[in-house]
């Protein structure tokens, strides 16, 4: 017999989804820290525009980190919360000492591309598990991030 959790979902499937959400959480934390780094270190003629944009992006990423962690808790699991765990699961590239505008924007595109891959895997599993809460959360992330990738690539052109 299938075990059902307090929100009416199969516990085996939600555990698997929560594991994937922890992967997403770890990668979002790396992405967030990348954004902080390029926000602090950006230089050049586009400083004022990019400094503000990077702050907007890291503020949004910080909110998403919280939403992901809360969804993991809602599914009955524990969110990762150490940098050691984040680093071990990181698939997003780590940006270090990036101060040049194009390299910073390329880091964002590369990071979002990786996050989108993880999110699409979660979307497949959450759909199969009838997990509308996770499905909705991740679907909204995908919509926003696809638009950001498009805008960043347009900026790079």
């Amino acid at each position: 017999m299938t075990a059902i959790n307090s929100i009416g979902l199969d516990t085996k499937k939600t555990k698997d989804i929560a594991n994937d959400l922890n992967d997403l959480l770890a990668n979002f934390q790396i992405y967030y820290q990348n954004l902080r780094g390029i926000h602090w270190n950006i230089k050049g003629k586009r400083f004022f525009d990019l400094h503000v944009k990077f702050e907007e992006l890291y503020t949004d990423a910080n909110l998403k980190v919280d939403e992901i962690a809360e969804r993991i808790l809602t599914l009955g699991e524990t969110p990762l919360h150490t940098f050691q765990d984040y680093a071990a699961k990181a698939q997003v590239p780590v940006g270090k000492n990036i101060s040049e505008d194009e390299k910073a924007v390329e880091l964002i595109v590369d990071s979002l591309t990786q996050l989108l891959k993880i999110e699409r895997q979660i979307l497949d599993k959450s759909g199969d598990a009838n997990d509308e809460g996770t499905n909705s959360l991740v679907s909204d992330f995908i919509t926003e991030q696809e638009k950001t990738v498009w805008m960043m690539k347009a900026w790079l052109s």
Side-chain angles (χ1 to χ4, degrees):
M1 183 169 192
T2 303
I4 303 296
N5 66 15
S6 62
I7 59 172
L9 299 173
D10 179 320
T11 55
K12 185 175 187 278
K13 289 181 179 181
T14 56
K15 185 172 187 67
D16 191 35
I17 292 167
N19 285 337
D20 288 354
L21 284 168
N22 262 321
D23 287 344
L24 182 62
L25 176 63
N27 281 278
F28 248 99
Q29 288 283 34
I30 301 298
Y31 173 59
Y32 169 79
Q33 200 56 48
N34 283 342
L35 291 167
R36 294 302 304 239
I38 59 177
H39 168 77
W40 294 327
N41 293 310
I42 195 69
K43 292 184 171 86
K45 294 176 184 172
R46 297 179 177 131
F47 169 84
F48 290 108
D49 293 332
L50 291 176
H51 186 74
V52 170
K53 185 62 174 176
F54 297 158
E55 182 173 1
E56 173 190 316
L57 290 171
Y58 79 65
T59 299
D60 179 67
N62 191 39
L63 292 172
K64 284 180 171 56
V65 161
D66 197 52
E67 291 175 350
I68 296 164
E70 288 175 353
R71 187 65 195 166
I72 294 165
L73 289 161
T74 300
L75 294 175
E77 300 299 325
T78 304
L80 298 176
H81 51 275
T82 68
F83 285 107
Q84 182 180 15
D85 288 334
Y86 302 151
K89 292 188 168 284
Q91 296 168 298
V92 167
V94 174
K96 184 173 180 181
N97 298 329
I98 295 175
S99 60
E100 196 254 308
D101 56 3
E102 287 188 19
K103 287 184 178 161
V105 173
E106 287 168 358
L107 177 63
I108 292 169
V109 170
D110 292 345
S111 297
L112 289 174
T113 299
Q114 188 58 49
L115 290 171
L116 285 163
K117 288 178 188 175
I118 297 166
E119 290 161 352
R120 287 193 177 97
Q121 292 170 347
I122 293 169
L123 202 58
D124 285 343
K125 289 181 182 178
S126 63
D128 179 56
N130 240 359
D131 179 0
E132 185 56 35
T134 300
N135 203 321
S136 176
L137 177 75
V138 173
S139 181
D140 289 349
F141 287 5
I142 289 171
T143 301
E144 290 176 32
Q145 291 162 5
E146 286 175 341
K147 185 175 180 180
T148 302
V149 167
W150 160 66
M151 288 179 170
M152 293 293 168
K153 289 186 93 167
W155 184 91
L156 286 166
S157 296

